[in-house]
Amino acid sequence: MTTGIRVGWRASLGLTGDVLAALPVPLAFPLLTAFYYGESPLPFVAAIAVSLALGASFRSVQDPAEDLGPREAFLAVALIWFLVAAVGAIPFVVAGVGTVAHPVNAMFEAMSGLTTTGATVLVDFSLHSRSVMMWRQVIQWLGGLGILILATAVLSEIGVGGAQLMETESQTQDVNKLTPKISRTAQLIWGIYVGLTGLAIAVYFLLGLAFDPQMDLYNAVAHAFTSVATAGFSPEPQSVGAFHPVIQWAVVPFMVIGSTSFVLIYFAINGEPMRLLKNEEFHFYLGAMGTLASIVAFALFLDPSVTFGAEGTVRHAVFNVASIVTTTGYASTDYVAWAPAAKHMLFMGMFIGGMVGSTTCSIKSLRWLVALKTFRRNLYTAIHPEAVRPVRVSGKPVDEGAIRDIYAYLLLSIVIFFLLTVVIVVDAERAGLRVTEFEALGAAATTFLNIGPAFGEAGPYGTFASFPMSTRAVMIVLMWIGRIEIIPVLVLFTKAFWTS
Amino acid sequence: MHVVVIGAGEVGTSIAGSLSSDHEVVVVDVDEDRAEQLKYEIDVLTIAGDGTTSDIQTAAEVGRADMVIACTDNDQTNLVACGTAKTLGDGFTIARVKSTDFLRTWEGSEGAFGVDFMVCTDLLTAENIVRVIGLPAAIDVDPFASGMVQMAEFEIAEESPMAGQTVAEADRFESLTFVGLFRNGELTIPRGDTGIKAGDRAVVIGSPESVQAFATDVDPRTTPDDADDIVIVGGSEIGYQTARLLGERELQPRIIEQDPDRARWLAEQLPKAVVMEHDATDTEFLSREHVDEADIVVTALRSDEKNLLVSVLAKRLGVDRVIAVVDSPDYVTVFEEIGIDIAINPRTVTAEEITRFTYESVAENIAVLENDQAEVLELELTEGCGLVGRPISELVADTDARFVIGAITRDHQLVTPRGDTVLRPGDHVILLVDSDSVGEIASMA
């Protein structure tokens, strides 16, 4: 206690070390891909070596006497998300091809991957080996898994991924009690995640056989990894737009399921589908998506320059709205060319997000639902100041403290989003680049809220390499902060966290 | 009968007083002075000591008691006293409780805590209030099967929409049976085509909800419906239970509760009720929330003084009917003299319920109608009794006895009797019987 530090940082480092030491397992996947295609295994060998070395050294400082409390968990989560991204950047640097050879770009790509954002700095997709492209997909799948663990089971007490919301929302409040043991709960959730990924591989591959030879096993695996994770990377420069319409339709349900509460999916699989079907957040989430898709389709029908045909218009509206609202970030077409009405709808959709307890990013439906219901309640209490009206979600009252937290979170998100927008505009001007306000707003939302593509140069078929290097560095930090829901990172910068 | 009463508070004293003339009553109280004092008030044997202990209960001869009534102010004491009594003998045990949780546990598992009959003071009071509010047109209302079934008697007024209808037209509710019709003081067992005339008195048996709906048909003018504004002042357990029971009858009251935590709790438990957190003695608040225009105000605050103040305020602001919960029996008349419409005392209600229960022998529960022209009985059927195992239509055809089965409860579920319903052992049957046939029915049961 002579140092005055009150955080069991050795425990945090120990946990981070455990994760880094396990990282060679997912790294083995692109390594095997490299062997299969006869490409250089060096990028992955290097990353495996670094993760093993870092993991071992972190574990060596671990003090078994220290407990992992909420404070240590905050530190560990922040460290894990940052360091795994750092190790994940190594293959890009070692491969040394294209824009991602630069360390900052490599870090951007890896952070965008791990946070399931899906914004890319790649310019020419054809330069890269198939194994490096597969690593982008694997790291996103890993990021989805990581956030599921935080949001549903293992570390729900630190409240990342909306887990604290699930406790206030009673339909899923027994999230920690799916089974009495946390490790068993985690296994169930992983089981669903892995099972859905397997199903997606099978569906994509079979549809590929039937409709589109370009959807081969490589692409089926690559897209399965990033659709259930609502992540959005694609080895194809045209994203999902490169494939047959039937395959595009088939991707939609996997994105939607990836953004649905895995706890409620678990209950649905186990014979209690009503818990999902009667859940108000689920209604809100599907309703928001449906409404936006209808408006976008309507806007596209009105736009004379759009020539998709009836099916194509509906498909592109549904696909791209689902992609944005679930925070996946695929595209079925380059919507940068769309009329402003449709584009602004997509921009709005960025702020919604899927359900808590899923792989989704952004603000999340439950927060909006509670905020809107609270607002309606406040209108009532404006007339009847003495009335006591609990806000209810799915019939269960929401704690007033949780409502305050949600308001604070919404405000904090909006403030950070605006600050990032200003940074993007100012930094671009400093570098002598032209970035419109709408493009800056889109780029800020898409990185901070972990969606993926934005508008303009950074559109779905474009690249974030068009921004200045310094902007990209800021974006790396904000993807990191946004993914683990702001608080775990911000608390690290308070004195009270370390000393009291 | 040898009766042991544990607890010589207001409830215990009142029960002991009404039983002492016909029965051998022993009263146990922990307070020596109180025990001594009671000896001079009523003619009973008193014992000072802890009524939950075997020693004291043995001294009170609980072992040969026919009935043990535990009615102290403490729930746990009463439950333990009943449990102890069951170890000494097999007298019928009655416990008074406040907590509805204990009541739910007891209802869920018969004989739990060694209690044979449980009276929940707050719930009983709330049921009384709801009856007063909900059925102003009824001449007589009695609960059966621990509140699951109600018997009610109504006089059909000249302007009632039911005057001129047939029984089949009037009895349009699934869980309600039209059991009797009194015309000029004569009992008629009604058939579907029996016509109803103004001045008749109708007797129905059914679920409280269906009786409420029937009352609306009989007298839509005075029976409250969801358009009526009912305000409950004070979210005490009695206030809460009253609101809950009113809610079950589609009447959504407003509740005023001063304590923020309690108000929040009430609002969470009663999603449809409007809960307001404020001091109900603030007249500016009362008129702002239009409490002065309420049809009915119930005051269920925790002190009699506050209830009195709020009741008087409500009356003065122009509320039609004010019903006050009065904790001290001495003040009941004071409240009513001041002009409060009805003052209800939980202890009196409890004492009456327990006393009423002790009177009943063969039947579990009795209500007497129209100068003993007819009785409504609750019977628990046993294996091998004459009513079991045959459809009701056969039972009726085979006997001269004049009776109508109004309701059956089976495993805590209400069963509506039909001609082909077969009665089973363990069923609780609530039936109306012509007084001349009571002996015959009693011999069959």
Side-chain angles (χ1 to χ4, degrees):
Chain A
M1 284 302 132
T2 48
T3 56
I5 288 182
R6 296 286 184 85
V7 182
W9 55 276
R10 288 168 183 277
S12 313
L13 280 187
L15 182 63
T16 311
D18 289 342
V19 172
L20 287 172
L23 208 50
V25 178
L27 276 163
F29 192 80
L31 184 66
L32 292 175
T33 314
F35 285 130
Y36 180 80
Y37 289 110
E39 296 166 351
S40 165
L42 197 62
F44 310 106
V45 173
I48 287 171
V50 171
S51 67
L52 284 178
L54 267 182
S57 61
F58 280 16
R59 289 165 91 170
S60 69
V61 301
Q62 188 171 20
D63 180 351
E66 277 181 3
D67 279 337
L68 194 75
R71 232 189 261 200
E72 289 72 31
F74 278 135
L75 181 59
V77 165
L79 275 178
I80 288 168
W81 251 258
F82 196 83
L83 290 174
V84 171
V87 171
I90 292 171
F92 302 123
V93 178
V94 174
V97 190
T99 44
V100 284
H102 188 285
V104 172
N105 285 345
M107 188 66 191
F108 183 98
E109 198 75 7
M111 187 61 91
S112 168
L114 188 69
T115 58
T116 71
T117 304
T120 185
V121 288
L122 298 190
V123 177
D124 187 349
F125 280 48
S126 62
L127 287 178
H128 302 279
S129 70
R130 305 196 90 179
S131 50
V132 166
M133 294 305 277
M134 185 52 91
W135 173 235
R136 290 169 81 230
Q137 310 300 113
V138 171
I139 199 172
Q140 291 214 309
W141 189 80
L142 205 59
L145 181 63
I147 212 69
L148 265 187
I149 295 170
L150 287 194
T152 57
V154 180
L155 292 174
S156 66
E157 76 264 29
I158 70 164
V160 175
Q164 86 280 26
L165 297 174
M166 299 211 294
E167 274 153 33
T168 64
E169 204 257 295
S170 302
Q171 283 250 309
T172 52
Q173 71 177 356
D174 45 358
V175 53
N176 286 324
K177 298 168 210 139
L178 284 181
T179 67
K181 279 174 102 78
I182 274 176
S183 56
R184 178 89 187 106
T185 309
Q187 279 171 20
L188 290 172
I189 300 291
W190 299 2
I192 295 170
Y193 186 64
V194 172
L196 282 172
T197 309
L199 185 65
I201 294 174
V203 169
Y204 297 168
F205 182 64
L206 291 176
L207 288 178
L209 286 182
F211 295 100
D212 190 347
Q214 200 177 353
M215 181 53 96
D216 52 9
L217 186 61
Y218 177 88
N219 265 331
V221 171
H223 287 90
F225 277 169
T226 58
S227 39
V228 181
T230 65
F233 272 158
S234 167
E236 297 292 334
Q238 307 284 301
S239 188
V240 177
F243 303 106
H244 190 275
V246 172
I247 294 173
Q248 295 176 16
W249 277 117
V251 172
V252 174
F254 285 106
M255 297 191 291
V256 171
I257 292 170
S259 256
T260 305
S261 164
F262 274 59
V263 175
L264 294 178
I265 292 176
Y266 169 81
F267 284 121
I269 292 173
N270 282 276
E272 292 181 71
M274 277 330 200
R275 291 180 77 147
L276 174 63
L277 298 179
K278 289 199 167 167
N279 184 283
E280 274 190 65
E281 188 196 7
F282 188 56
H283 300 167
F284 181 88
Y285 158 60
L286 292 185
M289 218 156 30
T291 309
L292 276 181
S294 314
I295 298 173
V296 169
F298 187 65
L300 292 180
F301 274 119
L302 289 185
D303 185 351
S305 66
V306 171
T307 52
F308 298 134
E311 184 272 339
T313 306
V314 173
R315 170 162 45 84
H316 290 311
V318 169
F319 187 97
N320 293 296
V321 166
S323 168
I324 295 285
V325 172
T326 62
T327 76
T328 307
Y330 287 145
S332 61
T333 177
D334 190 0
Y335 52 67
V336 170
W338 289 359
K343 274 199 286 195
H344 278 77
M345 281 297 137
L346 290 182
F347 174 63
M348 231 178 84
M350 287 183 173
F351 293 86
I352 300 171
M355 295 173 73
V356 299
S358 72
T359 64
T360 200
C361 315
S362 193
I363 284 168
K364 295 179 182 58
S365 294
L366 185 59
R367 286 203 178 92
W368 287 117
L369 184 61
V370 171
L372 288 174
K373 286 189 162 214
T374 307
F375 184 63
R376 202 173 62 189
R377 188 262 306 265
N378 291 355
L379 289 182
Y380 182 86
T381 50
I383 311 163
H384 301 281
E386 292 85 7
V388 181
R389 286 229 146 171
V391 173
R392 289 169 190 271
V393 173
S394 303
K396 300 288 161 58
V398 180
D399 179 61
E400 296 298 319
I403 292 175
R404 277 192 294 278
D405 288 350
I406 286 169
Y407 269 175
Y409 186 86
L410 286 175
L411 186 66
L412 195 59
S413 297
I414 303 295
V415 167
I416 294 178
F417 155 70
F418 272 112
L419 286 177
L420 179 58
T421 309
V422 172
V423 167
I424 291 171
V425 171
V426 170
D427 200 40
E429 202 159 293
R430 179 194 59 77
L433 296 170
R434 283 291 311 154
V435 175
T436 67
E437 280 85 358
F438 183 63
E439 284 167 27
L441 288 167
T446 206
T447 48
F448 175 54
L449 301 173
N450 307 110
I451 291 147
F455 305 97
E457 289 287 311
Y461 293 175
T463 170
F464 279 71
S466 56
F467 290 105
M469 193 68 85
S470 43
T471 301
R472 262 171 282 152
V474 174
M475 285 172 173
I476 292 172
V477 174
L478 285 165
M479 285 191 278
W480 175 51
I481 295 179
R483 172 77 280 197
I484 49 185
E485 304 212 328
I486 309 173
I487 309 296
V489 176
L490 290 194
V491 290
L492 303 187
F493 297 100
T494 61
K495 191 160 177 271
F497 177 83
W498 296 97
T499 55
S500 65
Chain B
M1 235 179 8
H2 180 67
V3 180
V4 178
V5 176
I6 297 167
E10 275 149 10
V11 176
T13 307
S14 165
I15 294 168
S18 35
L19 295 181
S20 61
S21 52
D22 299 331
H23 304 284
E24 184 188 320
V25 179
V26 182
V27 179
V28 178
D29 197 275
V30 73
D31 181 352
E32 228 165 280
D33 296 339
R34 176 70 197 139
E36 192 58 33
Q37 190 192 350
L38 193 64
K39 272 186 203 163
Y40 302 101
E41 284 178 22
I42 46 176
D43 180 19
V44 292
L45 174 66
T46 62
I47 295 174
D50 182 350
T52 60
T53 60
S54 285
D55 288 351
I56 298 294
Q57 289 205 356
T58 309
E61 293 186 85
V62 166
R64 65 173 192 88
D66 301 290
M67 194 170 275
V68 179
I69 301 168
C71 53
T72 71
D73 262 335
N74 184 290
D75 286 4
Q76 279 86 347
T77 303
N78 294 339
L79 296 182
V80 174
C82 286
T84 307
K86 280 291 174 196
T87 66
L88 296 175
D90 63 346
F92 194 88
T93 52
I94 300 177
R96 164 199 178 189
V97 295
K98 284 202 193 72
S99 154
T100 45
D101 290 335
F102 288 134
L103 183 69
R104 300 274 167 267
T105 309
W106 178 76
E107 282 176 345
S109 159
E110 222 158 308
F113 312 116
V115 173
D116 293 317
F117 183 64
M118 193 178 271
V119 178
C120 179
T121 315
D122 291 345
L123 185 60
L124 197 64
T125 310
E127 282 169 350
N128 259 287
I129 296 171
V130 170
R131 225 170 288 148
V132 169
I133 294 175
L135 302 170
I139 304 163
D140 193 3
V141 183
D142 270 304
F144 291 90
S146 42
M148 278 175 61
V149 175
Q150 258 183 4
M151 181 282 296
E153 183 180 358
F154 297 92
E155 178 153 327
I156 310 295
E158 200 75 56
E159 63 274 18
S160 165
M162 208 170 270
Q165 290 184 342
T166 65
V167 167
E169 282 166 341
D171 183 7
R172 56 188 184 83
F173 303 100
E174 178 57 31
S175 49
L176 185 90
T177 310
F178 203 121
V179 291
L181 198 64
F182 289 100
R183 183 165 299 162
N184 308 321
E186 288 291 313
L187 173 69
T188 315
I189 302 288
R191 305 173 152 279
D193 56 3
T194 307
I196 303 168
K197 289 185 191 160
D200 287 356
R201 290 186 169 189
V203 183
V204 293
I205 294 174
S207 67
E209 294 77 27
S210 65
V211 170
Q212 181 71 50
F214 183 81
T216 311
D217 281 8
V218 173
D219 190 348
R221 216 168 26 84
T222 63
T223 306
D225 54 31
D226 53 10
D228 281 272
D229 187 12
I230 303 171
V231 178
I232 298 173
V233 180
S236 57
E237 184 66 17
I238 293 176
Y240 163 65
Q241 293 293 349
T242 305
R244 189 179 63 79
L245 293 171
L246 286 173
E248 284 177 4
R249 287 157 180 73
E250 305 296 324
L251 303 168
Q252 289 305 343
R254 293 191 283 160
I255 307 168
I256 302 171
E257 166 62 46
Q258 195 167 7
D259 178 63
D261 293 335
R262 181 69 183 176
R264 168 86 189 177
W265 184 87
L266 289 165
E268 288 184 0
Q269 300 300 314
L270 303 162
K272 287 186 186 155
V274 173
V275 179
M276 286 170 288
E277 177 198 320
H278 203 76
D279 178 4
T281 55
D282 176 355
T283 44
E284 191 268 332
F285 158 75
L286 292 178
S287 57
R288 176 153 43 84
E289 287 295 340
H290 304 288
V291 174
D292 50 335
E293 291 163 29
D295 299 288
I296 299 162
V297 166
V298 179
T299 63
L301 293 155
R302 282 172 194 81
S303 89
D304 285 352
E305 292 80 0
K306 280 207 150 183
N307 278 333
L308 183 66
L309 181 59
V310 173
S311 301
V312 171
L313 264 178
K315 214 56 202 169
R316 173 155 279 188
L317 286 170
V319 174
D320 282 351
R321 297 179 82 200
V322 177
I323 298 161
V325 176
V326 185
D327 209 39
S328 164
D330 299 341
Y331 295 160
V332 170
T333 43
V334 176
F335 270 70
E336 288 181 344
E337 273 169 14
I338 286 173
I340 308 310
D341 297 279
I342 294 156
I344 290 180
N345 175 255
R347 291 168 213 274
T348 312
V349 169
T350 309
E352 278 171 3
E353 173 76 4
I354 293 176
T355 310
R356 190 169 76 94
F357 197 84
T358 57
Y359 286 153
E360 291 152 6
S361 46
V362 188
E364 289 214 333
N365 217 333
I366 295 181
V368 177
L369 297 171
E370 295 289 306
N371 300 320
D372 210 4
Q373 284 252 344
E375 290 178 8
V376 174
L377 309 177
E378 176 176 346
L379 302 172
E380 184 175 359
L381 302 185
T382 52
E383 194 81 53
C385 96
L387 297 169
V388 171
R390 294 160 67 199
I392 292 173
S393 52
E394 267 185 47
L395 286 174
V396 175
D398 285 4
T399 171
D400 297 332
R402 302 220 302 155
F403 71 98
V404 180
I405 295 180
I408 303 162
T409 63
R410 184 172 290 168
D411 303 327
H412 301 285
Q413 297 284 326
L414 182 67
V415 178
T416 309
R418 295 277 176 258
D420 56 355
T421 310
V422 178
L423 298 175
R424 295 185 202 158
D427 284 359
H428 283 236
V429 177
I430 296 96
L431 68 174
L432 174 131
V433 189
D434 188 317
S435 296
D436 300 334
S437 305
V438 168
E440 202 171 331
I441 291 295
S443 69
M444 284 169 81

